[in-house]
Amino acid sequence: MIASMRRFVETCEAVSATTKKTEKVRLVSKCLRSLPVDDAARAAIFFAGHAFPRWEERTLAVGGSLIWQALEALSGLPPERLSQTYRRYGDAGGMAEEVLSSDNPGGELTLRDVAATFENLAALRGSTQKLEAFKQLLRRASPGEAKYIIKIVTGDLRIGLKENLVEEAIAQTFLRPLDLVRRANMITADVGATFRLAAADDLAAARLRLFHPIGFMLATPAETPAEVFESFPADALVEDKYDGIRAQAHKSGRTVKLFSRTMDELLEFPELFEGLAALPGEFILDGEILAWRDAHPLPFRELQRRLGRKHSDMWLLLDIPVNFVAFDLLYQDGDLLLDTPLRERQRRLEQLLGPAPGAHFQLAGSQRCQTVEELRETFENAILRGQEGLMAKEPGSPSPLSTSS
DNA sequence: AATGGCTGCCC
DNA sequence: ATTCTGC
DNA sequence: GCAGAATGGGCAGCCATT
C-alpha cells in the first residue's frame, strides 16, 4: 500500500505527460478511485490546485519569497544556482524537485499529513513561524512530493488540469451525469465535498446554503456586435459592462453578506447592508459594486482604495460612495433559479427591488437589441456614458452566458 | 514610529 | 483583468 | 472556439527590520 501523497504525485506526473484531456481525466479518476474517500476528497481539492476548498477564506500566506528561503536553506545551494534552476523551469515546484536532495526517498507522506500542515500554516502568524513549518514539511517530502506541495502552495499545478477536468473525473469515477457534478460543485464551491456527494450517489441532494457563496457565471469577451448575434441569433439583452467589483449578496432575515468573485466576504461596504436587509424575503443577488458619485460611475482606481480594509474609514466612506447594481437573481425564498430563464429571473429581480430601489441601489437597465445596428448604437452610447462596454445575454438562457464588446 | 518587503486580492 | 497557445 | 497557461497593474494589511 503506497502512501497517498506518492500516489497523488505519480498521477500528477502522468497527467502532466499527456496533452489528451480524456487521458488526464482517466488518470485522475483512477487515482481518486484508488483512495479512501477522505483522501480522495483532499486529492480532488489538490488536483484543482487549491490548498483549501474554494469557499474558504483561509490562506497560507506562503509565497515566492518564503519558498525561495526554504529551498535555499534545505538545498544549501547559493542563490545564483537557484536562480539558474528557476529560470530553466519558470516554476518554483520544478526548481524544488531538481534542487532538493534526491537521497530523500520520502514516500511516507499522506494527503492527510499535507492537509494538516496546510491547516497549520494557515493558522500560524508571521513569516518566521511559517518558514519553519514549511521547511519541516519539505524535509519529509521526496523531491517529487516537494514539487507538487509547492505547486499547490502557489495555487497552480500547471499540468494542464483545472477544476473543470476534476469534475469530469469525479463524474467518470462514479458514473454520474457531469451536469449533476458541475451543479453540485457550483453549489458547494468545494470539489472535495462534491466528490463525497458523488461517492454517496447524493449529488442531487447538494443543497444551497445561504451565506456560503455559490459559483459565479463568468463572461466571455466578444469583439464586435456581429459576434454577439452569432451567439444569440434571435435577440440579445444588453447591459452596461460595469467597471467595479463583482459581488454576490446573500440575505435572510436581518442578515446580509456580500461575497467577492473569489468567494471572500466583502466587509468593506457597510453602507450597502441596510438597504439589502430591508428588502423582503431570502435571496441571493448577483451584481456589481461601483464607486458612484453624482449619477456617474467613478474609475475603478477609486473603488480599489476601499478594498482590503479591515476597518471602514468614515472619511473614505463619504469620499468614495458606492452603489450596488443588481443584474441577476440566483435564489429567492427556497427557489434556486440557476435553471430559470433569464427573463424570468430579471422579472423577479425587478419585482424584488421595486420601482424605487433605495439609496445605493440600482437595477441594471437591460435593453433588448434585435439588430446589429441597434446593438452598435447601444454600445457607442455606453462608451459615451463612461462605461467599459456592454454585457450581452440571451433572454432564454438558464445560465447567463455573457459577452462584452 | 517609520520603512520596506511580502502576500493576497481586486481588475 | 488580458493575452497567448495548443488542440 | 475552448481551456489552460502566462502575465500585469494597483491597492491595503501584516510582519520584520531599523
Side-chain angles (χ1 to χ4, degrees):
Chain A
M1 186 69 181
I2 79 170
S4 52
M5 187 60 193
R6 199 167 129 196
R7 168 144 306 180
F8 174 81
V9 168
E10 286 170 1
T11 303
C12 286
E13 288 291 318
V15 166
S16 173
T18 177
T19 59
K20 296 187 182 66
K21 274 175 58 178
T22 50
E23 177 68 0
K24 289 173 191 280
V25 170
R26 193 189 63 77
L27 288 162
V28 172
S29 173
K30 186 176 152 209
C31 175
L32 293 177
R33 194 174 302 135
S34 75
L35 295 168
V37 174
D38 283 346
D39 276 332
R42 291 183 187 104
I45 293 170
F46 293 166
F47 275 131
H50 305 130
F52 300 115
R54 261 186 309 137
W55 64 266
E56 283 203 38
E57 294 199 31
R58 284 188 295 181
T59 59
L60 299 172
V62 174
S65 174
L66 234 59
I67 291 170
W68 194 271
Q69 288 176 53
L71 293 178
E72 201 174 334
L74 293 178
S75 71
L77 293 174
E80 313 89 66
R81 286 285 306 281
L82 291 178
S83 306
Q84 227 171 30
T85 315
Y86 180 79
R87 275 196 298 277
R88 193 153 60 248
Y89 291 92
D91 176 278
M95 167 173 96
E97 184 179 32
E98 176 165 325
V99 132
L100 292 177
S101 166
S102 48
D103 310 342
N104 186 346
E108 300 298 315
L109 275 177
T110 61
L111 290 160
R112 185 202 181 99
D113 294 330
V114 176
T117 307
F118 286 163
E119 310 252 321
N120 189 33
L121 280 169
L124 288 174
R125 287 284 145 231
S127 48
T128 317
Q129 285 188 293
K130 284 176 193 280
L131 179 59
E132 265 328 294
F134 189 54
K135 285 196 305 200
Q136 253 179 50
L137 174 62
L138 292 186
R139 269 194 282 264
R140 295 165 66 193
S142 68
E145 287 167 340
K147 171 181 180 181
Y148 284 96
I149 286 169
I150 287 172
K151 280 168 170 284
I152 295 167
V153 167
T154 55
D156 214 344
L157 260 39
R158 300 207 269 177
I159 58 174
L161 183 78
K162 281 271 157 64
E163 195 157 326
N164 233 347
L165 292 189
V166 179
E167 289 172 340
E168 289 189 31
I170 291 171
Q172 188 175 107
T173 302
F174 302 106
L175 303 174
R176 311 281 184 240
L178 181 55
D179 299 9
L180 261 189
V181 174
R182 293 212 198 281
R183 184 188 176 83
N185 199 35
M186 174 174 285
I187 292 172
T188 60
D190 180 343
V191 75
T194 301
F195 177 89
R196 290 176 197 277
L197 288 171
D201 198 6
D202 219 11
L203 286 166
R207 290 276 294 272
L208 174 103
R209 289 171 301 173
L210 266 182
F211 307 115
H212 281 248
I214 63 177
F216 282 78
M217 320 280 193
L218 298 180
T220 52
E223 296 301 321
T224 64
E227 252 181 66
V228 171
F229 277 96
E230 282 171 29
S231 311
F232 325 129
D235 58 347
L237 283 172
V238 166
E239 300 165 1
D240 289 339
K241 182 178 186 294
Y242 304 103
D243 192 14
I245 296 164
R246 186 76 176 273
Q248 201 175 92
H250 292 226
K251 184 266 180 181
S252 175
R254 289 291 300 172
T255 310
V256 171
K257 285 190 181 181
L258 291 167
F259 297 96
S260 73
R261 202 170 59 182
T262 52
M263 304 191 169
D264 293 298
E265 194 174 349
L266 288 165
L267 299 166
E268 297 96 326
F269 307 100
E271 68 265 52
L272 297 179
F273 293 172
E274 178 53 41
L276 287 165
L279 295 173
E282 279 190 343
F283 55 80
I284 299 178
L285 290 181
D286 195 359
E288 192 92 0
I289 296 171
L290 293 180
W292 194 273
R293 187 189 295 129
D294 303 329
H296 292 290
L298 300 173
F300 178 77
R301 180 78 57 85
E302 295 292 308
L303 184 57
Q304 199 176 13
R305 292 177 49 212
R306 288 196 54 179
L307 271 174
R309 295 188 184 255
K310 286 289 173 69
H311 309 286
S312 52
D313 175 334
M314 285 312 251
W315 283 67
L316 203 60
L317 206 136
L318 293 171
D319 201 31
I320 309 172
V322 298
N323 272 10
F324 184 91
V325 183
F327 52 71
D328 208 345
L329 181 65
L330 304 176
Y331 164 89
Q332 186 178 33
D333 299 328
D335 301 332
L336 190 56
L337 303 174
L338 297 181
D339 299 320
T340 307
L342 178 59
R343 283 186 223 87
E344 169 66 8
R345 296 201 307 272
Q346 289 195 341
R347 195 191 62 74
R348 290 175 75 145
L349 178 61
E350 274 174 45
Q351 193 95 44
L352 174 65
L353 288 183
H360 300 296
F361 290 90
Q362 298 169 233
L363 181 65
S366 89
Q367 188 177 330
R368 195 162 166 180
C369 289
Q370 288 175 303
T371 65
V372 175
E373 277 61 43
E374 215 176 336
L375 186 57
R376 195 184 308 280
E377 196 184 316
T378 311
F379 174 69
E380 281 161 13
N381 202 283
I383 298 298
L384 285 179
R385 294 199 321 278
Q387 299 297 334
E388 259 199 325
L390 293 177
M391 308 293 290
K393 302 172 181 177
E394 188 181 20
S397 66
S399 59
L401 172 68
S402 318
T403 76
S404 69
S405 64

